[in-house]
Amino acid sequence: MVEGGPRIIRSAESVPDGPDSRAVEIAGEGKYVDILETVRKEGFLEKEMNRVREEYGLDELSFLNDADREMFTVLDLYDPVTAKHCLRTYEIAREKMEKEVIPGESLAQLLEKNESITPEQFYRACLFHDIGKVEVPRVVIQHRMSEGHMLECMHHLYHEGKILGTLGLAPSASDTEIDDALKEHSLRSIDIVPAREVLSPEELAEVQHFGYSGDETLMDIIKTHEVFSGEILKNAGYTLESK
């Protein structure tokens, strides 16, 4: 079993200075391998790894190696909210995996015995399930428009005839009918509204720089991180974790 259980992010008194602004800028520029290479080349990597190790208590995750700590550092530089989410996902998963499900055996032990997946592999996959977000435009991942404002935008676009057909409704559908159709299909406005309709011109330019047209929905763009996560883990030598 992996040593060290769930932990708490350090208190403000013990957290070192925040990340270098240039390192944060680099982390938002594109491919994971390019981000890592540039952060290393410009001399930020060691300092940022030390900061992240202390801030998140990574030494307590004994299964991590140097490459893993580099990966988590890039993730934190890209978006600390996502990094904290990934760490919390690992903590919750570990807590559940280490509980006994039959007398004398935990779910982690059964997983290793029945599927040859070690606790280290499972926990690493949990910790880095969102690593692919570093290859998605930061303006999309950090988009903060409320669901209420997104819904208003969707109503407006529907009545303008820009997204007809997406919900199987008549052009004259009321806002209430639109809202009911969303619930029926288990959709949110973020699944329907094109990104270009809610992004500023500068944000749209950033999205297009990453190869998107802007006609995709925000959710379409966000979901591409799933493929990127698998590719990053596979290229790091973690074939099973990538799956």
Side-chain angles (χ1 to χ4, degrees), residues 21-239:
S21 60
R22 172 57 182 157
V24 171
E25 179 186 3
I26 294 167
E29 290 181 353
K31 293 289 185 181
Y32 171 77
V33 291
D34 295 337
I35 296 169
L36 183 59
E37 180 182 354
T38 305
V39 170
R40 179 184 285 116
K41 182 179 179 180
E42 295 196 15
F44 298 113
L45 185 58
E46 183 177 356
K47 174 188 174 184
E48 296 302 332
M49 284 181 66
N50 288 335
R51 175 187 61 80
V52 167
R53 185 174 65 247
E54 174 66 21
E55 184 172 338
Y56 291 90
L58 294 187
D59 287 342
E60 297 177 32
L61 281 63
S62 58
F63 64 95
L64 296 183
N65 57 39
D66 285 344
D68 296 330
R69 285 185 280 272
E70 289 176 352
M71 194 178 297
F72 196 85
T73 297
V74 170
L75 182 60
D76 172 77
L77 288 171
Y78 172 79
D79 181 39
V81 172
T82 300
K84 289 178 174 67
H85 158 73
C86 285
L87 183 61
R88 186 59 182 147
T89 299
Y90 152 76
E91 291 175 341
I92 293 172
R94 180 185 180 120
E95 182 179 356
K96 294 180 181 294
M97 292 291 288
E98 294 189 350
K99 288 182 179 178
E100 285 190 1
V101 290
I102 60 175
E105 289 194 284
S106 67
L107 187 56
Q109 290 169 321
L110 290 174
L111 187 66
E112 184 166 14
K113 181 169 69 175
N114 296 332
E115 300 190 38
S116 299
I117 298 173
T118 68
E120 290 87 350
Q121 290 170 319
F122 184 81
Y123 296 146
R124 183 176 284 110
C126 291
L127 186 64
F128 293 116
H129 73 277
D130 271 348
I131 185 60
K133 286 185 177 179
V134 305
E135 298 195 6
V136 177
R138 192 181 264 149
V139 294
V140 173
I141 297 299
Q142 296 181 347
H143 193 259
R144 297 294 182 254
M145 181 178 283
S146 70
E147 176 62 16
H149 284 135
M150 285 287 293
L151 194 58
E152 289 179 12
C153 180
M154 194 192 75
H155 289 163
H156 180 71
L157 292 172
Y158 194 92
H159 297 314
E160 282 192 340
K162 292 184 178 181
I163 54 175
L164 291 177
T166 56
L167 295 173
L169 297 174
S172 60
S174 67
D175 288 351
T176 299
E177 290 173 319
I178 293 171
D179 295 346
D180 288 343
L182 284 175
K183 294 177 183 177
E184 179 182 350
H185 295 286
S186 299
L187 293 172
R188 296 180 298 160
S189 51
I190 195 174
D191 297 300
I192 295 175
V193 176
R196 65 169 65 251
E197 298 293 341
V198 293
L199 298 177
S200 69
E202 294 77 17
E203 291 171 334
L204 179 59
E206 180 176 339
V207 165
Q208 291 172 333
H209 174 73
F210 276 71
Y212 303 95
S213 68
D215 294 323
E216 307 91 345
T217 69
L218 290 177
M219 186 56 70
D220 286 337
I221 297 174
I222 291 171
K223 282 183 176 179
T224 60
H225 87 273
E226 297 169 2
V227 173
F228 298 146
S229 291
E231 291 175 348
I232 291 170
L233 286 167
K234 184 177 180 180
N235 290 336
Y238 299 133
T239 303

